Amino acid sequence: MPYPGRPVLEPLPQFRGTATVRQTPEQRAALLEFVARGHQTGRSLRELAELTDRTQTAIRRALDEAGVQRRGRGAPAASAARSVR
């Protein structure tokens, strides 16, 4: 029996159709704020990309532009996960 896939998130209404080269400054500011806040609360690049209707690369660039330090790849180490509990 195969492992069930992860559900794909639908883009949020405020970000539908805004993934263009010519974003307004307000759209860009809203994206940067949402991505920075989402990343800091633990959302993955993939989740943020799906919610904003963008690619993971666009999300990485937005985090860099917002000055947010990205987390390392993968889940936290088992010892780190135990200390959080």
Side-chain angles (χ1 to χ4, degrees):
M1 181 170 165
Y3 190 77
R6 181 186 66 76
V8 177
L9 302 173
E10 290 293 319
L12 297 173
Q14 66 264 34
F15 296 113
R16 278 197 193 120
T18 62
T20 64
V21 176
R22 299 181 189 267
Q23 294 177 19
T24 66
E26 294 81 18
Q27 289 172 329
R28 188 67 181 168
L31 174 71
L32 294 179
E33 180 183 340
F34 178 80
V35 169
R37 193 169 5 118
H39 190 268
Q40 291 169 344
T41 60
R43 286 207 180 264
S44 69
L45 293 179
R46 179 178 290 158
E47 290 172 327
L48 292 169
E50 290 173 359
L51 290 172
T52 59
D53 201 21
R54 284 165 173 75
T55 64
Q56 290 182 45
T57 300
I59 298 302
R60 281 187 206 99
R61 288 182 185 144
L63 288 171
D64 290 343
E65 187 177 333
V68 176
Q69 185 174 3
R70 296 192 308 256
R71 296 184 298 271
R73 293 180 62 168
S79 60
R82 283 189 209 116
S83 64
V84 174
R85 292 182 187 172

